[in-house]
Amino acid sequence: MSGMVVTANGNDSKKFKGEDKMDGAPSRVLHIRKLPGEVTETEVIALGLPFGKVTNILMLKGKNQAFLELATEEAAITMVNYYSAVTPHLRNQPIYIQYSNHKELKTDNTLNQRAQAVLQAVTAVQTANTPLSGTTVSESAVTPAQSPVLRIIIDNMYYPVTLDVLHQIFSKFGAVLKIITFTKNNQFQALLQYGDPVNAQQAKLALDGQNIYNACCTLRIDFSKLVNLNVKYNNDKSRDYTRPDLPSGDGQPALDPAIAAAFAKETSLLGLPVAAVPGALSPLAIPNAAAAAAAAAAGRVGMPGVSAGGNTVLLVSNLNEEMVTPQSLFTLFGVYGDVQRVKILYNKKDSALIQMADGNQSQLAMNHLNGQKMYGKIIRVTLSKHQTVQLPREGLDDQGLTKDFGNSPLHRFKKPGSKNFQNIFPPSATLHLSNIPPSVAEEDLRTLFANTGGTVKAFKFFQRDHKMALLQMATVEEAIQALIDLHNYNLGENHHLRVSFSKSTI
């Protein structure tokens, strides 16, 4: 494979033109821009670690840019997708990540020796402190993991962490076969079994000490003494993904007495050691660079009335003031939480305040919608300093710029534990449609969605259930527009169409 040769000699600007497009073809080399001046190789490498092995790095110091090469294209795609939903920050500054035109990095060794040394040190830590044999770390030198079963304790549990959230986060590292959750000494704990001990090892290295949600729900992970879990029931406490036929055993304790005895023994062994990371690598303890799936997991928190220690009011700016209405903002932001009030600013109509039901929802909406395109403009979403959105005084007409949606029947997250908590995804070109009446055919829906001004690329009814379908627009922006225009659209027979973003592709 003859990659483009890149040497870090400052005459590279010609080659890096045209790398500004986020939607370039996927590549395992990522181009990172707007880095803070004093940032180190280690910090840049750390951005990639939760997603897989980092195989090369090239820092362009004078330009505040870097190239980061991951072992696989798949890892690079996961990383770009994750950071398109959650803006990456280094030293509290937002940075920009996109695919590079280079398919691999051929670096000039003398110039890049320092980076290579850092990479090796990091890789050594990642592969469980195996000694460096010569200068290369052989992939097979991973120390054999003790068990395919991890024991997970969650500290600072301000939000409920469900079995599904754990499954979502840990599946990033391999197939999760079984999970048992329980509360012991007032702490939420879980046992989770992979098909292969190596997956357990990778998950422990990547996730131990990470936070699932902002600044809370910290994962403490150790190997279990058990090598196989015996799950009797599939319910919200325990699940065997290899045996969908198990009963739900309503309200039965999901714990096998033998396992309970093993826990008792095991608890005394839990002096959870902190991974021995050499001093040079302290930036790896990056809070919130939790595995990619953790961002999605945050969408599953459903505690009405608990403010996530954060502000419930968002400030949205750079709106298209000709087009935007309180209703359109209500519909789009309503994908990520229950919008209570919307106020388009009277003297600055390209900005609006949006009050969500709780701080977690405002955080989610900000993570997912900041930087997306709405009516042709890239919108900015930040937390507002206001605590609430004021309604206009009685009898004062503010031209319909402020709307109270507190009693709207369209809130998606009113019911605790509703399925909607599990289906929060970043804006995507593919939309999930539901509540389609039997009389409505594919052609009708294609026409309806094409009328929002975009192109329908693909359509597919769900096999089991023609009430639901996936529909793919040409771009994410078109899908956002279609969702704003058609969510709750009346299809007749008292069926109002439900539209959400999908994680699937057609």
Side-chain angles (χ1 to χ4, degrees):
M1 183 172 165
S2 64
M4 190 182 285
V5 178
V6 181
T7 52
N9 59 7
N11 302 331
D12 284 334
S13 46
K14 291 187 290 296
K15 290 186 183 146
F16 300 133
K17 288 275 187 294
E19 294 239 348
D20 260 13
K21 45 186 194 309
M22 182 69 189
D23 52 5
S27 157
R28 63 194 185 93
V29 180
L30 300 177
H31 181 203
I32 304 177
R33 298 174 298 131
K34 303 262 169 79
L35 290 170
E38 59 293 353
V39 79
T40 65
E41 274 97 347
T42 311
E43 290 168 278
V44 176
I45 292 168
L47 288 168
L49 283 182
F51 305 94
K53 194 166 166 10
V54 175
T55 47
N56 208 342
I57 180 171
L58 172 69
M59 299 280 278
L60 303 170
K61 278 282 188 348
K63 288 238 235 336
N64 300 80
Q65 299 185 1
F67 287 89
L68 192 67
E69 178 189 274
L70 282 95
T72 64
E73 202 170 282
E74 189 191 15
I77 292 172
T78 308
M79 178 165 164
V80 168
N81 290 349
Y82 175 57
Y83 285 129
S84 63
V86 178
T87 309
H89 284 73
L90 281 181
R91 309 209 170 191
N92 292 327
Q93 287 189 38
I95 58 170
Y96 298 89
I97 299 180
Q98 66 217 27
Y99 300 118
S100 161
N101 295 337
H102 306 301
K103 288 298 175 203
E104 63 178 319
L105 285 180
K106 291 253 177 70
T107 43
D108 176 325
N109 271 345
T110 49
L111 285 164
N112 212 27
Q113 258 170 349
R114 178 154 176 276
Q116 292 300 325
V118 174
L119 252 178
Q120 260 166 21
V122 173
T123 317
V125 171
Q126 256 211 320
T127 47
N129 308 333
T130 44
L132 297 178
S133 51
T135 50
T136 56
V137 176
S138 76
E139 288 270 11
S140 59
V142 177
T143 51
Q146 294 82 335
S147 158
V149 178
L150 292 176
R151 177 197 180 98
I152 302 155
I153 293 182
I154 297 187
D155 278 346
N156 310 331
M157 190 155 140
Y158 298 138
Y159 299 122
V161 172
T162 62
L163 185 143
D164 290 325
V165 168
L166 291 174
H167 183 258
Q168 194 178 0
I169 295 171
F170 283 82
S171 292
K172 219 178 122 321
F173 300 90
V176 173
L177 305 187
K178 305 170 188 179
I179 305 180
I180 296 175
T181 63
F182 52 102
T183 303
K184 184 167 174 52
N185 309 336
N186 286 335
Q187 268 193 317
F188 178 81
Q189 307 193 13
L191 290 171
L192 181 145
Q193 181 174 342
Y194 281 102
D196 186 334
V198 173
N199 302 127
Q201 175 132 21
Q202 288 165 340
K204 177 180 185 303
L205 281 165
L207 298 175
D208 191 19
Q210 299 282 12
N211 296 330
I212 300 182
Y213 306 136
N214 237 349
C216 70
C217 300
T218 312
L219 292 163
R220 304 270 173 238
I221 303 173
D222 215 349
F223 290 106
S224 169
K225 296 285 171 288
L226 300 162
V227 288
N228 187 32
L229 299 179
N230 178 16
V231 176
K232 293 198 161 155
Y233 303 111
N234 281 343
N235 53 32
D236 56 357
K237 302 268 190 296
S238 64
R239 211 163 293 163
D240 184 335
Y241 294 89
T242 62
R243 296 197 48 204
D245 55 331
L246 287 176
S248 70
D250 297 329
Q252 296 283 335
L255 270 191
D256 185 304
I259 291 187
F263 285 150
K265 276 215 273 310
E266 200 166 324
T267 312
S268 54
L269 302 164
L270 265 188
L272 289 179
V274 177
V277 175
L281 297 170
S282 49
L284 285 183
I286 32 179
N288 301 339
R300 303 192 156 194
V301 175
M303 289 183 78
V306 176
S307 155
N311 200 335
T312 57
V313 181
L314 296 166
L315 171 65
V316 187
S317 52
N318 201 38
L319 292 162
N320 180 334
E321 52 189 274
E322 307 297 311
M323 305 288 292
V324 73
T325 61
Q327 185 64 45
S328 62
L329 290 168
F330 167 78
T331 305
L332 179 57
F333 281 73
V335 172
Y336 300 105
D338 292 339
V339 175
Q340 304 299 305
R341 293 176 180 178
V342 177
K343 182 190 217 68
I344 293 174
L345 303 184
Y346 185 80
N347 49 6
K348 198 173 180 327
K349 294 195 172 62
D350 71 345
S351 300
L353 293 173
I354 300 182
Q355 183 175 336
M356 307 296 283
D358 67 45
N360 192 62
Q361 294 181 359
S362 54
Q363 189 80 36
L364 264 173
M366 178 171 79
N367 287 350
H368 286 306
L369 294 175
N370 181 36
Q372 296 289 350
K373 260 188 164 168
M374 179 180 182
Y375 297 122
K377 299 192 71 167
I378 292 179
I379 63 171
R380 290 277 154 249
V381 184
T382 56
L383 292 173
S384 160
K385 54 181 190 302
H386 295 281
Q387 293 305 307
T388 56
V389 169
Q390 297 298 319
L391 294 175
R393 284 200 302 282
E394 273 306 306
L396 195 76
D397 175 27
D398 77 339
Q399 304 173 354
L401 293 176
T402 308
K403 271 201 85 162
D404 186 347
F405 293 98
N407 297 322
S408 167
L410 296 184
H411 286 157
R412 296 177 186 234
F413 304 102
K414 274 208 298 279
K415 286 208 288 285
S418 135
K419 270 244 173 16
N420 295 338
F421 285 107
Q422 298 170 24
N423 294 315
I424 297 182
F425 301 110
S428 60
T430 306
L431 297 167
H432 179 278
L433 315 183
S434 59
N435 207 23
I436 303 167
S439 59
V440 171
E442 170 173 345
E443 218 27 64
D444 304 323
L445 289 164
R446 280 179 174 267
T447 308
L448 185 64
F449 277 77
N451 285 344
T452 62
T455 309
V456 177
K457 300 276 280 207
F459 179 92
K460 177 170 114 207
F461 273 115
F462 277 62
Q463 265 172 335
R464 291 183 308 284
D465 186 355
H466 266 226
K467 294 208 268 305
M468 298 203 286
L470 292 177
L471 181 141
Q472 186 182 344
M473 302 298 288
T475 63
V476 176
E477 184 187 358
E478 287 181 11
I480 288 176
Q481 184 62 54
L483 181 139
I484 290 172
D485 290 352
L486 294 175
H487 177 62
N488 201 44
Y489 182 87
N490 189 348
L491 289 171
E493 303 169 45
N494 207 8
H495 281 68
H496 287 80
L497 182 65
R498 293 187 53 86
V499 185
S500 344
F501 298 113
S502 171
K503 68 170 189 304
S504 315
T505 46
I506 304 178

